[in-house]
Amino acid sequence: KLQDAGIGTRSELAASTPPLGIRKLREEAADRLREQAALQLESKREGRLCWRPRPVEEGRGFHLLPRPSPGDVILDLEGHPVFEPARGLEFLFGLVLCDEGGTEYVPIWAHDRAGERAALERVVDLVHERLERHPDMHVYHYGGYDSGVLKRLMGDYGTRESEVDDLLRRKVLVDLLTVARQALVVGAESYSLKETGKLAGFVREAEIAGGGEAVVDYERWLATCDAALLDGIAAYNEEDCRATLAL
């Protein structure tokens, strides 16, 4: 309309007028969006996931990573968001335990409220037992969901409150998603673990491809008690744990 009114040519208007919806973006944020879009295009052209490091900043990105410890733990939860009309259920607490001799995957199932509380207590106690042997160990997770669940369940059940507070105070929990976002520009549409795990060369083989499918199969298990369905969910959860470890 401005062009039709003789206020400017199309090219002049495009050069002087920010696109609708991003006029209030800081230039720094706009530059990051351009770089992200360019890397996505590069990834599509080259058929591989392209990435670049962000500028190093004190207290951000890779600076958030502790040194590796033989006692480190990877944590990944699977939850059913509508297990009950107004409340979900964390039905699988998946762990990979690191040791000098290798790693071990430990699935902890919870099929009701008592099981959910018991699973929380078992995970928190296990971490504190490992802290006694490895004071430098950490619990790595991907995204804020897992640490948020621990805090929520602690409050819901009124259990292991001082132990969870201790883990938070000592910064035992480490969110690798925050590290990845602050340290890397990745040529993908999201920073999901399915994408960023490729940076570490992690290859997935489980039949379940996402958390939604895991919930559907858990619903099927509730109706049939077919143990193979739980095995499939555990295989998917273990891959998420091991992708986190690889990353």
Side-chain angles (χ1 to χ4, degrees), residues 89-160:
L89 176 76
E90 306 306 319
F91 60 84
L92 175 56
F93 293 64
L95 304 169
V96 162
L97 309 180
C98 300
D99 208 332
E100 289 88 347
T103 60
E104 176 189 8
Y105 173 67
V106 179
I108 302 175
W109 294 97
H111 302 307
D112 52 29
R113 295 299 167 204
E116 188 179 53
R117 173 175 179 152
L120 168 70
E121 293 173 345
R122 182 177 170 186
V123 168
V124 173
D125 291 349
L126 181 150
V127 171
H128 275 278
E129 289 169 5
R130 294 177 73 85
L131 274 170
E132 291 181 3
R133 292 182 282 118
H134 303 282
D136 60 341
M137 64 83 66
H138 290 82
V139 177
Y140 295 86
H141 55 97
Y142 198 80
Y145 179 80
D146 307 279
S147 58
V149 165
L150 296 183
K151 291 183 281 189
R152 175 175 58 80
L153 294 182
M154 170 197 74
D156 287 349
Y157 293 114
T159 184
R160 301 299 190 271

Side-chain angles (χ1 to χ4, degrees), residues 21 26 35 45 52 58 71 98 105 126 159 185 188 201 215 237 243:
R26 293 179 300 170
E35 184 178 17
R45 286 173 174 170
R52 294 173 190 165
E58 188 67 32
C98 300
Y105 173 67
L126 181 150
T159 184
V185 184
V215 173
N237 179 261

